[in-house]
Amino acid sequence: MRNLGNSEPSAAPTWSAFAAAEPELAATVRERFGRYTHHVLATVRKDGSPRLTGLEVNFRLGELWLAMMPNSRKALDLRRDPRCSLLANPGAAADMDGGDVRISGRAVEVTDPETVERFAREVGAPLPFHLFLMEPAEVVRTTVEDDELVVRTWSPGRTVRTIRRGNDDSAPRQDP
């Protein structure tokens, strides 16, 4: 359990817990996000519809952080409803080198002044800003290997599953 300075302690998994449980997938995902500065965040608007916005993703201090300008729409969305998804920038080429990477879960605001100030020093960002800690509920990497679509997926309490689908009518199959 951790206290984020904003409410009750959270027992949800953090990036560091995921990385400890699945280091190979975590390294691949982190490397994929590290290729570009800007990525896509999906949040839930007040009316329940999706909002897509760009943002920088920070893997710092052992965790996955999202920092946002004060009172930005995405920050207000997350304050109201922490459910979100992150999509790594696919890059300029159509080949999707490194695959498609997505993290879904909750982004919980951190208001503890010491943590916020430590993060600001670490990234060299001026205060004020909203700081959110990502609690992954699903991590997915999709690639094309030979003639198959390969989907690797993780969720808390489960090991990584690999599902393969070919270009024919045969049913998808799961690696053992």
Side-chain angles (χ1 to χ4, degrees):
M1 291 236 206
R2 65 193 173 282
N3 189 330
L4 305 176
N6 56 356
S7 61
E8 297 179 24
S10 177
T14 59
W15 176 262
S16 59
F18 159 66
E22 297 294 343
E24 185 177 323
L25 181 58
T28 299
V29 169
R30 185 173 174 164
E31 187 275 329
R32 188 67 187 80
F33 272 99
R35 290 185 185 185
Y36 299 95
T37 301
H38 297 99
H39 304 285
V40 178
L41 174 69
T43 59
V44 180
R45 295 175 189 251
K46 194 174 192 177
D47 68 2
S49 64
R51 181 189 314 273
L52 294 176
T53 54
L55 88 160
E56 295 180 21
V57 172
N58 284 281
F59 291 90
R60 305 277 180 150
L61 310 171
E63 298 299 345
L64 173 51
W65 303 92
L66 311 175
M68 299 166 203
M69 291 177 20
N71 297 316
S72 65
R73 297 284 186 199
K74 58 191 160 198
L76 297 177
D77 285 348
L78 291 173
R79 281 181 144 183
R80 188 184 56 263
D81 185 337
R83 295 175 297 164
C84 64
S85 287
L86 292 168
L87 177 67
N89 184 329
D95 63 1
M96 300 262 310
D97 183 35
D100 181 76
V101 174
R102 177 177 46 87
I103 303 169
S104 296
R106 293 171 12 110
V108 180
E109 187 167 22
V110 176
T111 58
D112 171 58
E114 288 180 27
T115 303
V116 173
E117 289 171 16
R118 181 176 177 206
F119 179 86
R121 282 191 310 274
E122 178 78 16
V123 301
L127 292 166
F129 55 82
H130 295 285
L131 182 62
F132 294 86
L133 178 67
M134 187 69 182
E135 296 178 340
E138 181 182 56
V139 178
V140 179
R141 178 176 184 232
T142 304
T143 57
V144 176
E145 296 176 10
D146 298 321
D147 62 346
E148 293 183 315
L149 182 71
V150 179
V151 180
R152 290 180 178 84
T153 182
W154 170 89
S155 57
R158 299 182 73 174
T159 58
V160 172
R161 293 182 319 149
T162 302
I163 300 168
R164 298 175 180 275
R165 188 177 75 212
N167 289 329
D168 55 19
D169 290 336
S170 61
R173 64 189 192 289
Q174 186 170 326
D175 286 359

